Amino acid sequence: MRGFFAVEGRRLSYLDFGGPGTPLLALHGHYNEALAWAPLAEALAPQWRVIALDQRGHGESDRAESYERDDYVADVAAFHQHLGVGPVAVLGHSLGGVNAYQYAARHAGQVTALIVEDIGAVVEVDWVTTTKLPRHAPSREALASALGAMAPYLEGSFRQTEDGWGYSFEIDDTVASQQALDGDHWQDWVSVSSPTLLIRGTRSDGLTADHAREMIARHTGQAHLVELPAGHVVHHDAPVQFAATVRAFLGSSS
């Protein structure tokens, strides 16, 4: 079920995958949207009910004038309040992972468990790659072909436009968001008190093994690291193992 709510005059969209399970809030990364969590939602049902946000500038949510850290965290807080489900587990990938742990740090009583997928406490985004993405193509197939190896990770965000086929995000907005994501976020990471699972892809170019281990060592509460045979988008590359890892962690944390 798709739902909408308003934040400061902007409309944000989300997908509630439904079911009788315990709510799990899910936050996607750049280039993606809420629908990216559909396979995980199916794998975790019926024990868990995944509710995924189309973050500002993505999916069916409105574009925004600002993509700063505080903006994203405020959106998560508004999303959580709108749902009215009480304290919940929160999962986030990449951009969504930073949003998730910053929300957990700043709203400690609202997060019962935290899952962070392949992003560090210090972030250095290669935003130049985004500027090189093909902006439009005459067909869905042509856009996928132009993207090459990146296509499987972006195809869920393909949209037909007046100019042919493009994305559910704007290139310039994404660059602004990636630039705002860069930086040292250790203060938030070490402030997280909820049980935490950090999932890293062994072939990831977004989170090194050494940095992941440092994150676990500096975490002030209960924290675990699991590494799976995948690249940066672990839930896409290793969906079965990812779902099993998330299920086991949530079961032990509930």
Side-chain angles (χ1 to χ4, degrees), residues 80-115:
H80 192 178
Q81 183 177 19
H82 169 76
L83 295 174
V85 293
V88 292
V90 180
L91 177 157
H93 168 240
S94 196
L95 161 72
V98 178
N99 297 347
Y101 72 65
Q102 289 187 323
Y103 180 64
R106 302 175 192 184
H107 301 266
Q110 298 301 311
V111 179
T112 59
L114 173 68
I115 303 165

Side-chain angles (χ1 to χ4, degrees), residues 17-242:
F17 291 95
T22 304
L24 167 64
L25 306 193
L27 307 173
H28 62 76
H30 284 121
Y31 305 157
N32 285 140
E33 56 188 79
L35 190 61
W37 296 114
L40 179 66
E42 183 177 0
L44 295 182
Q47 292 88 356
W48 296 90
R49 168 191 166 199
V50 174
I51 312 173
L53 178 66
D54 275 343
Q55 301 194 82
R56 60 172 54 205
H58 297 78
E60 300 303 313
S61 289
D62 289 343
R63 305 298 173 258
E65 294 182 358
S66 173
Y67 293 91
E68 297 297 325
R69 295 283 78 237
D70 289 349
D71 299 323
Y72 276 112
V73 176
D75 286 349
V76 177
F79 175 46
H80 192 178
Q81 183 177 19
H82 169 76
L83 295 174
V85 293
V88 292
V90 180
L91 177 157
H93 168 240
S94 196
L95 161 72
V98 178
N99 297 347
Y101 72 65
Q102 289 187 323
Y103 180 64
R106 302 175 192 184
H107 301 266
Q110 298 301 311
V111 179
T112 59
L114 173 68
I115 303 165
V116 175
E117 179 188 351
D118 212 76
I119 195 70
V122 177
V123 181
E124 297 179 1
V125 180
D126 177 19
W127 55 266
V128 175
T129 297
T130 301
T131 66
K132 298 178 180 179
L133 292 177
R135 292 182 178 251
H136 300 285
S139 67
R140 185 184 184 93
E141 293 73 20
L143 184 58
S145 178
L147 285 166
M150 292 183 67
Y153 301 101
L154 275 72
E155 60 185 0
S157 298
F158 286 3
R159 293 289 193 281
Q160 191 166 16
T161 70
E162 295 179 355
D163 300 314
W165 281 81
Y167 316 100
S168 61
F169 57 87
E170 296 290 343
I171 299 291
D172 293 343
D173 287 353
T174 300
V175 169
S177 179
Q178 289 175 322
Q179 290 175 334
L181 183 61
D182 273 354
D184 183 327
H185 308 305
W186 275 116
Q187 182 176 350
D188 284 305
W189 177 259
V190 300
S191 298
V192 173
S193 58
S194 53
T196 299
L197 171 65
L198 177 62
I199 301 177
R200 175 182 174 269
T202 56
R203 302 189 303 274
S204 172
D205 57 2
L207 176 61
T208 67
D210 287 345
H211 187 59
R213 284 163 177 71
E214 183 182 3
M215 290 172 71
I216 298 302
R218 292 180 62 175
H219 194 284
T220 55
Q222 175 189 347
H224 304 282
L225 170 65
V226 172
E227 296 176 296
L228 297 176
H232 176 56
V233 191
V234 187
H235 67 267
H236 178 278
D237 293 349
V240 175
Q241 299 97 315
F242 184 86

